[in-house]
């Protein structure tokens, strides 16, 4: 029972399979071709055979007619019964009869036609002009007296003396036309069916071979799980399926990168949150362990406050990034002045710069109309200025400049933030925009409480905003001399 069920399932799958459908189409098209071809052969052959048989009987008839047109016949008073026996050019099975005007057989040679047949032929021919060829299956009795059923071709024609019809001449010759055509029909049909059968099996084999890589792809895809995206199909070849497999492999690579990034993101985020949480916990435990002076409590609360702020900032940054990744961050593009946004960011951060004893200066800020989301662009500029303030020691200068792009990029607006801070060692520059990347992880976090704190998310948010605006960001830095961040954004066209 189970075997039957699985066989039935297999059959159902097979009927729905592409290889079965391809094979069916293949056989269907071949059937049409074979039908057209067989029809062509059949009708050509039928025409040729018919032509041969009719030509043959006409030739015989022409000789007989020669006798009736001869002067000997036309000028004599010979009757139909006087036609000499050796006149007709007959062959085995031929039939020849002279009938009078009443349809009575006067004389016959070879196989004798029945009077009914004669009657039928004469009445069919009466009223028709010239030669008339008929094909008919008849039962005839040959001179040996054996009755046989055979196909005959007949010609019926009036016999004239002068212009007077005095009777009719019927000549019949056996023809194998019908049986030959029947044989041809059977051969063509059987041959075609045989070829279709071969085509079906061959087509199935071919389709099966062609579809095998699909099975490989499906098998590989089934075995690839979310936790193991490193597997690849690796189908060799240059055909369409190899192309599909390589597209699939590329997609897997992208998915793997995305998954890995996501995993790293979550791991990094928890790791980053653990430090302030541990510090907060430690402070609370110490404060609660025994009675403390109010100065101690104040110091503990101060630390908790700082760590709390750090966590809040980090959670905000994480939420911003998550929104950006999931496509929920909707940018509201409008025509706006980039210099205006830069000025707003500078105004917001002037107090912070003063607090850190940093000179925050701007050059002349010309109008640069870009299509952008004002809030996001201000956030981007603020992050860059904030970093410059944060990482440059007191007494340093941070300069904010805007202007048109360089000569080869005139259709871009340029924003440059330069500081005279410590600079960034070149080996860190390629990773600067990676999430959670900080140049000096250890120092900023634990050992040196006076060091600027950060989560390493600010620049990745900056990079995302710049990219979402179709712009580019690059950084140049020299250790001990300072750092320059340069952002180019496409200028809004007039229309
Ligand atoms: P963070 O929140 O730590 O500031 P960012 O992504 O904004 O994270 O910056 C990544 C790292 O790049 C920082 O940890 C810092 O070491 C370095 N950095 C960024 N801007 C500057 C700058 N203007 N001068 C020196 N170092 C910088």
């Amino acid at each position: 029972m189970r075997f039957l069920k699985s066989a039935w399932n297999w059959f159902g799958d097979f009927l729905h399979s592409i290889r079965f459908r391809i094979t069916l189409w293949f056989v269907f098209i071949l059937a049409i071709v074979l039908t057209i071809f067989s029809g062509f052969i059949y009708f050509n052959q039928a025409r040729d055979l018919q032509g041969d048989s009719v030509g043959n009987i006409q030739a015989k008839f022409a000789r007989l007619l020669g006798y009736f047109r001869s002067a000997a016949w036309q000028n004599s008073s010979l009757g139909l019964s006087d036609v000499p026996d050796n006149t007709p050019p007959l062959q085995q099975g031929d039939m020849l009869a002279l009938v009078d005007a009443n349809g009575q057989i006067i004389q016959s040679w070879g196989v004798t036609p029945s009077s009914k047949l004669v009657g039928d032929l004469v009445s069919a021919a009466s009223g028709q002009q010239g030669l008339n060829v008929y094909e008919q299956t008849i039962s005839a009795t040959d001179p040996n007296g054996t009755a046989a059923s055979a196909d005959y071709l007949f010609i019926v024609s009036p016999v004239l003396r002068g212009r007077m019809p005095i009777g009719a001449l019927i000549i019949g010759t056996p023809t194998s036309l019908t049986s030959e055509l029947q044989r041809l029909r059977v051969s063509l049909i059987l041959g075609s069916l045989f070829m279709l059968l071969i085509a079906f099996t061959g087509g199935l084999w071919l389709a099966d071979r062609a579809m095998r890589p699909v099975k490989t792809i499906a098998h590989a895809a089934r075995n690839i799980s979310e936790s193991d995206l490193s597997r690849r199909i690796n189908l060799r070849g240059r055909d369409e399926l190899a192309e599909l497999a390589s597209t699939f492999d590329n997609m897997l690579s992208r998915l793997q990168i995305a998954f890995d990034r996501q995993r790293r993101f979550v791991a990094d985020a928890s790791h980053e949150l653990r430090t302030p949480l541990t510090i907060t916990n430690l402070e609370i435990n110490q404060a609660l362990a025994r009675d403390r002076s109010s100065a101690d409590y104040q110091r503990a609360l101060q630390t908790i406050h700082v760590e709390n702020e750090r966590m809040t900032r980090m959670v905000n940054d994480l939420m911003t990034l998550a929104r950006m990744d999931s496509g929920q961050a909707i940018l509201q593009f409008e025509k706006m002045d980039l210099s205006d946004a830069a000025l707003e960011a500078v105004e917001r951060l002037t107090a912070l710069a003063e607090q850190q004893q940093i000179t925050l200066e701007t050059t002349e800020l010309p109008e640069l109309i870009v299509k952008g989301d004002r809030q996001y662009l201000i956030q981007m500029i603020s992050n860059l200025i904030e970093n410059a303030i944060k990482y440059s020691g007191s007494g340093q200068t941070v300069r904010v400049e805007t202007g048109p792009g360089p000569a080869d990029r005139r259709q871009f607006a340029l924003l440059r933030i330069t500081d005279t801070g410590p600079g960034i060692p070149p080996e860190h520059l390629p990773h600067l925009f990676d999430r959670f990347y900080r140049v000096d992880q250890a120092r900023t976090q634990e050992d040196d409480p006076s060091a600027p704190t950060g989560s390493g998310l600010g620049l990745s948010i900056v990079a995302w905003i710049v990219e979402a605006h179709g712009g580019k960001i690059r950084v140049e830095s020299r250790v001990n001399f300072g750092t320059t961040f340069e952002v180019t954004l496409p200028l809004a066209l007039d229309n």
Side-chain angles (χ1 to χ4, degrees):
M1 198 60 199
R2 266 181 63 189
F3 169 75
L4 269 182
K5 201 167 172 205
S6 65
W8 177 249
N9 282 347
W10 178 88
F11 186 65
D13 288 350
F14 173 70
L15 286 188
H16 286 96
S17 67
I18 291 185
R19 64 202 158 107
F20 178 66
R21 269 183 281 165
I22 288 180
T23 312
L24 267 197
W25 274 109
F26 176 54
V27 169
F28 175 67
I29 291 169
L30 187 68
I32 292 177
V33 171
L34 279 177
T35 310
I36 294 171
F37 178 72
S38 302
F40 178 73
I41 296 267
Y42 180 81
F43 287 111
N44 254 359
Q45 194 72 2
R47 203 190 50 215
D48 288 355
L49 283 174
Q50 179 113 17
D52 282 355
S53 307
V54 172
N56 185 20
I57 192 171
Q58 277 178 337
K60 287 178 184 175
F61 192 79
R63 279 187 62 187
L64 260 177
L65 226 53
Y67 170 78
F68 289 112
R69 285 192 184 140
S70 67
W73 163 262
Q74 289 292 336
N75 301 326
S76 72
S77 56
L78 290 172
L80 288 173
S81 55
D82 299 322
V83 178
D85 264 0
N86 61 353
T87 310
L90 295 180
Q91 280 170 350
Q92 175 79 25
D94 281 356
M95 182 186 285
L96 179 66
L98 271 171
V99 294
D100 65 14
N102 300 325
Q104 291 297 317
I105 300 176
I106 310 294
Q107 190 165 187
S108 73
W109 296 266
V111 180
T112 319
S114 68
S115 46
K116 179 176 180 310
L117 173 68
V118 170
D120 286 353
L121 287 170
V122 171
S123 64
S126 66
Q128 309 236 10
Q129 295 291 313
L131 295 184
N132 295 294
V133 180
Y134 304 94
E135 189 185 343
Q136 209 162 328
T137 307
I138 58 157
S139 294
T141 316
D142 67 11
N144 308 328
T146 40
S149 165
D151 280 340
Y152 269 76
L153 273 183
F154 292 102
I155 290 186
V156 184
S157 178
V159 174
L160 305 174
R161 172 160 277 140
R163 287 176 158 254
M164 271 289 290
I166 58 163
L169 181 65
I170 297 173
I171 182 164
T173 183
T175 172
S176 55
L177 190 64
T178 314
S179 59
E180 267 179 47
L181 286 181
Q182 175 132 6
R183 262 203 308 281
L184 183 66
R185 258 197 317 265
V186 171
S187 304
L188 286 174
I189 290 173
L190 284 183
S192 298
L193 285 178
F194 184 61
M195 274 163 77
L196 287 180
L197 190 72
I198 292 180
F200 184 77
T201 10
L204 213 55
W205 180 76
L206 265 182
D208 196 53
R209 261 185 76 97
M211 285 291 132
R212 215 168 289 165
V214 176
K215 277 192 192 156
T216 316
I217 295 176
H219 181 73
R222 255 197 305 274
N223 284 339
I224 293 167
S225 65
E226 187 189 305
S227 53
D228 181 18
L229 285 171
S230 60
R231 292 181 73 139
R232 296 289 176 272
I233 298 167
N234 280 333
L235 199 71
R236 271 190 289 277
R238 291 165 62 183
D239 57 12
E240 293 84 343
L241 288 172
E243 195 185 322
L244 175 72
S246 117
T247 312
F248 200 74
D249 280 349
N250 288 340
M251 189 188 76
L252 278 175
S253 301
R254 285 197 304 275
L255 270 182
Q256 189 184 11
I257 291 171
F259 264 94
D260 284 351
R261 205 174 49 200
Q262 201 72 20
R263 220 174 285 150
R264 218 175 34 241
F265 184 65
V266 172
D268 285 349
S270 7
H271 179 81
E272 292 298 324
L273 283 170
R274 212 171 49 198
T275 314
L277 278 174
T278 315
I279 297 172
T280 317
N281 235 354
L282 215 71
E283 287 294 331
I284 295 172
N285 282 344
Q286 270 179 7
L288 290 179
R290 57 187 165 83
D291 274 350
R292 306 266 174 189
S293 66
S294 70
D296 280 346
Y297 285 131
Q298 210 150 29
R299 197 199 50 78
L301 281 175
Q302 199 80 44
T303 314
I304 292 169
H305 178 63
V306 168
E307 293 306 321
N308 219 12
E309 271 196 337
R310 197 169 139 191
M311 277 194 287
T312 310
R313 229 183 7 254
M314 198 188 301
V315 169
N316 280 340
D317 284 352
L318 281 173
M319 273 170 66
T320 309
L321 276 173
R323 262 205 310 275
M324 288 168 170
D325 282 351
S326 64
Q328 282 173 13
I330 298 162
L331 277 70
Q332 281 171 352
F333 287 101
E334 54 175 338
K335 280 190 180 174
M336 52 164 285
D337 182 6
L338 180 68
S339 296
D340 212 32
L343 204 61
E344 192 169 330
V346 168
E347 277 166 9
R348 271 192 201 175
L349 291 164
T350 306
L352 181 71
E354 274 169 11
Q355 191 191 343
Q356 309 270 323
Q357 289 154 12
I358 287 194
T359 317
L360 178 58
E361 60 180 35
T362 54
T363 55
E364 188 194 341
L365 300 173
E367 189 186 66
L368 296 162
I369 303 298
V370 295
K371 237 184 186 169
D373 183 302
R374 195 176 165 77
Q375 292 314 318
Y376 275 103
L377 285 185
I378 291 175
Q379 184 182 353
M380 182 266 288
I381 303 167
S382 302
N383 277 8
L384 291 174
I385 300 176
E386 214 179 314
N387 272 355
I389 296 173
K390 204 160 63 175
Y391 295 107
S392 309
S394 61
Q396 304 295 341
T397 305
V398 173
R399 197 165 65 238
V400 179
E401 289 170 75
T402 58
D408 57 331
R409 312 191 77 198
R410 276 276 168 242
Q411 68 280 39
F412 286 85
L414 187 100
L415 165 79
R416 195 182 283 134
I417 290 152
T418 314
D419 66 58
T420 51
I424 303 164
E427 67 271 20
H428 294 290
L429 293 180
H431 310 288
L432 219 53
F433 298 97
D434 293 353
R435 291 172 185 189
F436 298 106
Y437 193 84
R438 285 189 308 245
V439 170
D440 196 346
Q441 307 255 357
R443 192 177 69 93
T444 48
Q445 267 184 26
E446 274 127 31
D447 302 346
D448 184 359
S450 67
T453 56
S455 58
L457 293 174
L459 283 182
S460 44
I461 293 175
V462 166
W464 187 92
I465 295 173
V466 172
E467 206 173 295
H469 282 79
K472 285 204 161 51
I473 181 163
R474 58 186 203 94
V475 53
E476 259 175 38
S477 189
R478 276 178 68 198
V479 176
N480 296 332
F481 280 91
T483 308
T484 300
F485 282 90
E486 205 174 83
V487 175
T488 42
L489 292 181
L491 283 169
L493 298 173
D494 282 340
N495 51 42

